[in-house]
Amino acid sequence: MNDSVFHRLYDVYHQDVFQFLIYLVKNRTLAEDLAHEVYVRVLRSYDHFAGNSSEKTWLFAIAKNVAIDHFRKQAVRKKHSLDFFDWETEQLHSTTPSPEDMLQASDEFLQVESALENCSGDQKMVIIMRFFQDLSIAETAQILNWTEAKVKTTQHRAIKFLRQQLQPVSEQEAKRQ
């Protein structure tokens, strides 16, 4: 891999990849470590990049896999066994506050972020990719290795679930006014 290609990829996409990882792990230091691992994997595998997708999609796929690997390792350590981390039933949780919490982000964002913690792992990934990272349905499907229909269905279910979670909050706000 040419140094200038690596630096271009890093300069253009690092902030997006880093933000994506922060949304997933909610820990700046850990997100930095995982972002570093993403670029280590980019260096190792760039020669195999066939160009079947955009570089951005390829980088997000690597970031997703790095995050999944992290959560699998974390789950194994917690369970002290070699159980498979099931993304369909397990939820992604982190006890440390996100950088947005520390910077006193808007109440709405905090409410959505809180409700997002109750979504399934797949729903959370789709919402982060689609709405926090502004990826298209096609890019999200490509990163997750899903069909576009599955992305749309998962997104629809996640939005419906988030609305249900946020409805009591909006009703409380209406009562206060």
Side-chain angles (χ1 to χ4, degrees), residues 2-171:
N2 184 325
D3 279 349
S4 64
V5 172
F6 178 80
H7 289 295
R8 181 183 55 78
L9 286 174
Y10 184 86
D11 290 342
V12 172
Y13 299 112
H14 175 69
Q15 192 61 36
D16 289 336
V17 169
F18 179 66
Q19 286 177 346
F20 172 68
L21 291 168
I22 281 181
Y23 286 125
L24 286 177
V25 299
K26 297 195 190 285
N27 179 310
R28 183 178 183 83
T29 305
L30 179 57
E32 288 170 354
D33 291 344
L34 294 178
H36 174 76
E37 177 62 25
V38 167
Y39 287 99
V40 167
R41 290 187 188 185
V42 165
L43 281 171
R44 289 182 186 156
S45 63
Y46 189 78
D47 295 338
H48 303 292
F49 176 59
N52 296 334
S53 65
S54 71
E55 290 173 333
K56 182 177 182 177
T57 302
W58 180 65
L59 281 169
F60 271 86
I62 292 172
K64 173 203 65 148
N65 290 333
V66 166
I68 288 171
D69 290 347
H70 165 74
F71 284 113
R72 282 184 181 152
K73 287 176 188 174
Q74 190 178 44
V76 167
R77 287 182 189 130
K78 283 182 181 178
K79 294 179 183 180
H80 298 292
S81 69
L82 297 176
D83 292 344
F84 178 74
F85 188 81
D86 186 357
W87 283 88
E88 291 295 324
T89 59
E90 295 293 327
Q91 294 184 10
L92 307 177
H93 290 285
S94 177
T95 57
T96 57
S98 70
E100 289 77 14
D101 288 335
M102 291 185 253
L103 296 173
Q104 297 178 343
S106 73
D107 287 342
E108 288 178 6
F109 180 81
L110 294 175
Q111 291 167 358
V112 170
E113 189 177 39
S114 177
L116 193 58
E117 287 298 318
N118 297 320
C119 289
S120 71
D122 286 346
Q123 290 173 342
K124 185 175 182 178
M125 271 291 198
V126 168
I127 293 297
I128 289 171
M129 287 181 186
R130 292 281 295 124
F131 299 106
F132 290 37
Q133 296 299 316
D134 292 324
L135 295 175
S136 69
I137 289 174
E139 289 171 324
T140 303
Q142 203 167 25
I143 290 167
L144 296 173
N145 199 24
W146 292 356
T147 64
E148 289 184 24
K150 183 172 179 180
V151 171
K152 289 176 185 177
T153 301
T154 303
Q155 176 181 314
H156 174 76
R157 289 179 181 159
I159 290 170
K160 183 178 177 181
F161 179 79
L162 288 171
R163 280 189 182 131
Q164 290 171 348
Q165 293 288 305
L166 295 171
Q167 187 175 13
V169 173
S170 62
E171 288 172 1

